[in-house]
Amino acid sequence: MVALGFDNPVFSQFVCYSILLILETIGIALLVIRIRVKRKVFSFPEDCSQFIVGKHHLKPTADDALIKRLRRCHLNNLENIVPFVTIGLFYVLTEPDPWTAALCFRSFLVTRVVHNIALIQALPQPTRTFSYLAGVIILCFMSLSVFQRGKM
Amino acid sequence: MVALGFDNPVFSQFVCYSILLILETIGIALLVIRIRVKRKVFSFPEDCSQFIVGKHHLKPTADDALIKRLRRCHLNNLENIVPFVTIGLFYVLTEPDPWTAALCFRSFLVTRVVHNIALIQALPQPTRTFSYLAGVIILCFMSLSVFQRGKM
Amino acid sequence: MVALGFDNPVFSQFVCYSILLILETIGIALLVIRIRVKRKVFSFPEDCSQFIVGKHHLKPTADDALIKRLRRCHLNNLENIVPFVTIGLFYVLTEPDPWTAALCFRSFLVTRVVHNIALIQALPQPTRTFSYLAGVIILCFMSLSVFQRGKM
């Protein structure tokens, strides 16, 4: 059996969870576009030219609170997807226990969803920090499993 | 034939387009450095210490409009390269039709180049938004092809 | 021998250096959290609610100089890890000379560590710029090796 092939159930799961994380991130980027149009909050003059307020063209403004949150959320997802996809791919190659691997992938997705909801909805802390740290612990666990196999 | 090897023409193409996208992004980062030096716009005091204006050292200033655009462009490329490289790699493993795959990779590169030019040159909207959305549609198409093979 | 397996010493090394780069980046993210709590500098109201200064709740403030540096450092690492992991993986598949490959991976890690120290400690320029450019040169060298094998 090829480790990096859809016949390997651990790889197949890893692929699905990676894509879900990426699609979630793209979803937030699309949400930012939608809210920018709805609230008419744009960073660049060319984005404003199609909107006329009173007799004048709209002007670029600083991001409002919600857009700031969504952009931070998007960036934070990106920061977490890069380690997950990279370490996850190496982790799959260590032929881990399928049950443990599935637990890692699922929990990581849960920590990211909780983190995003906590950030966007401004849930009371430490929900956001704890969900972030839980994700980091999962990444460290997978890194350790990989380090046991790798040689420098 | 190994799916992830240069003998697989789909993988070989994917590699080339991925690297082109990455080199383009690095090119924009280098352009930012060049324009910072040319316009003497720096964020940090240590960057200013070699430049003397009148009798005083230069001071850090907020990014000007062009540098803001270039940095946004760089970040936007990064946001799009991560999904492209990840989903693209999984997509190659689904053994797609070589013609469809080549179309996906080429179109994605085109959407990114158009997006970057539209952002840097401040082309009238909706060029930028449409080229961004075209890229997202290609990513979603590749994700769907992968999901049909993967199992959670 | 499988190219993407821990039996391939070049791949094994690549995995270790990639994970070290990622863990360094996560370390900087954790440092940001620690310094935010220590200096009570937060971006969002919900982060402030547990801190009371005098009789009032703390208010969100703009990032201070050190946090700005650390966040820039974190983002810059992310910008460099994505090309390194992607191009590095393709480079491993070209079956490079193990000695050259090890030199690339090690030097890249060194350039990133020097860059991060120069940015966080505000070392005199051009340390930071030169370490950044050295990293870019290594990425370009690996890209060239890959391009010689790939076909568009």
Side-chain angles (χ1 to χ4, degrees):
Chain A
M1 196 184 65
V2 184
L4 298 183
F6 289 97
D7 294 335
N8 177 355
V10 175
F11 178 72
S12 198
Q13 278 195 324
F14 167 67
V15 164
C16 290
Y17 285 103
S18 299
I19 292 190
L20 282 182
L21 283 167
I22 290 172
L23 292 184
E24 190 208 359
T25 305
I26 292 178
I28 286 169
L30 297 180
L31 196 59
V32 170
I33 297 180
R34 189 159 172 264
I35 290 178
R36 280 193 187 282
V37 172
K38 211 170 160 189
R39 301 198 173 183
K40 301 191 176 57
V41 175
F42 299 107
S43 315
F44 296 116
E46 70 266 27
D47 300 341
C48 302
S49 62
Q50 286 152 358
F51 295 91
I52 294 172
V53 177
K55 288 187 176 177
H56 301 284
H57 279 292
L58 201 66
K59 283 186 181 164
T61 45
D63 290 347
D64 70 8
L66 179 60
I67 292 178
K68 256 187 200 160
R69 277 180 190 278
L70 286 169
R71 289 190 66 192
R72 178 75 79 94
C73 183
H74 186 256
L75 193 60
N76 196 291
N77 281 354
L78 202 69
E79 286 167 21
N80 279 278
I81 283 172
V82 172
F84 178 77
V85 167
T86 312
I87 298 175
L89 193 73
F90 300 153
Y91 179 64
V92 169
L93 289 168
T94 64
E95 293 164 26
D97 172 48
W99 192 84
T100 317
L103 187 68
C104 284
F105 302 154
R106 276 177 205 159
S107 330
F108 192 80
L109 182 66
V110 170
T111 65
R112 294 315 304 161
V113 171
V114 171
H115 180 277
N116 285 7
I117 294 174
L119 180 48
I120 297 173
Q121 297 284 337
L123 296 189
Q125 282 280 34
T127 319
R128 201 179 86 224
T129 309
F130 278 11
S131 59
Y132 177 79
L133 294 178
V136 167
I137 289 168
I138 296 169
L139 291 174
C140 289
F141 169 77
M142 294 201 292
S143 301
L144 275 179
S145 307
V146 175
F147 264 126
Q148 284 175 346
R149 291 292 303 276
K151 266 168 252 145
M152 295 184 75
Chain B
M1 196 184 65
V2 184
L4 297 183
F6 289 97
D7 295 334
N8 177 355
V10 175
F11 178 72
S12 199
Q13 278 194 324
F14 166 66
V15 164
C16 291
Y17 285 102
S18 299
I19 292 190
L20 282 182
L21 283 167
I22 290 172
L23 292 183
E24 190 209 358
T25 304
I26 292 177
I28 286 169
L30 297 179
L31 195 60
V32 170
I33 296 179
R34 190 160 170 263
I35 290 178
R36 279 193 189 283
V37 171
K38 212 171 163 188
R39 301 197 173 183
K40 300 192 177 56
V41 175
F42 298 108
S43 316
F44 296 116
E46 71 265 28
D47 300 341
C48 301
S49 62
Q50 285 152 359
F51 296 91
I52 294 172
V53 176
K55 288 188 175 177
H56 302 284
H57 279 292
L58 201 65
K59 283 187 181 162
T61 45
D63 290 347
D64 70 9
L66 179 60
I67 292 179
K68 257 187 200 158
R69 278 181 188 278
L70 286 168
R71 289 190 66 192
R72 179 74 80 94
C73 183
H74 185 257
L75 192 60
N76 195 291
N77 281 355
L78 202 70
E79 286 166 21
N80 279 278
I81 283 172
V82 172
F84 178 77
V85 167
T86 312
I87 298 175
L89 192 74
F90 300 152
Y91 179 64
V92 168
L93 289 168
T94 65
E95 294 163 27
D97 172 49
W99 192 84
T100 316
L103 186 68
C104 283
F105 302 154
R106 275 178 206 158
S107 328
F108 192 80
L109 183 66
V110 170
T111 65
R112 295 315 303 162
V113 171
V114 171
H115 179 277
N116 285 4
I117 295 174
L119 179 49
I120 297 173
Q121 298 283 338
L123 296 190
Q125 281 280 33
T127 319
R128 202 179 85 223
T129 308
F130 278 12
S131 59
Y132 177 79
L133 293 178
V136 168
I137 288 168
I138 297 169
L139 290 175
C140 288
F141 170 76
M142 293 201 292
S143 301
L144 274 179
S145 308
V146 175
F147 264 126
Q148 284 175 345
R149 290 293 304 276
K151 266 168 253 147
M152 296 184 76
Chain C
M1 196 185 63
V2 184
L4 296 184
F6 290 97
D7 294 335
N8 177 356
V10 175
F11 178 72
S12 198
Q13 279 194 324
F14 166 66
V15 164
C16 291
Y17 285 102
S18 299
I19 292 190
L20 281 182
L21 283 168
I22 290 172
L23 292 183
E24 191 208 358
T25 304
I26 292 177
I28 286 169
L30 297 179
L31 196 59
V32 170
I33 296 179
R34 190 160 169 263
I35 289 178
R36 280 194 188 282
V37 171
K38 211 170 161 188
R39 300 197 174 184
K40 300 191 177 57
V41 175
F42 299 107
S43 315
F44 296 117
E46 70 266 27
D47 301 341
C48 301
S49 62
Q50 285 152 359
F51 295 92
I52 294 172
V53 176
K55 288 188 175 176
H56 301 284
H57 278 293
L58 202 66
K59 283 187 182 162
T61 46
D63 290 347
D64 70 9
L66 179 61
I67 292 178
K68 257 186 200 159
R69 277 181 189 277
L70 286 169
R71 289 190 66 191
R72 179 74 79 95
C73 183
H74 186 256
L75 193 60
N76 195 291
N77 280 355
L78 202 69
E79 286 166 22
N80 280 278
I81 284 173
V82 172
F84 178 77
V85 167
T86 312
I87 298 175
L89 193 74
F90 300 152
Y91 179 63
V92 169
L93 288 168
T94 65
E95 293 163 28
D97 173 48
W99 192 85
T100 317
L103 187 66
C104 283
F105 302 154
R106 274 177 207 159
S107 330
F108 192 81
L109 183 66
V110 171
T111 65
R112 295 314 304 162
V113 171
V114 171
H115 180 278
N116 286 4
I117 294 173
L119 179 48
I120 296 173
Q121 297 284 337
L123 295 190
Q125 283 279 34
T127 319
R128 202 179 85 223
T129 308
F130 278 11
S131 60
Y132 176 79
L133 294 178
V136 168
I137 289 168
I138 297 169
L139 290 175
C140 289
F141 169 77
M142 294 200 293
S143 301
L144 275 178
S145 308
V146 175
F147 265 126
Q148 284 175 346
R149 292 291 304 277
K151 267 167 250 146
M152 295 183 76

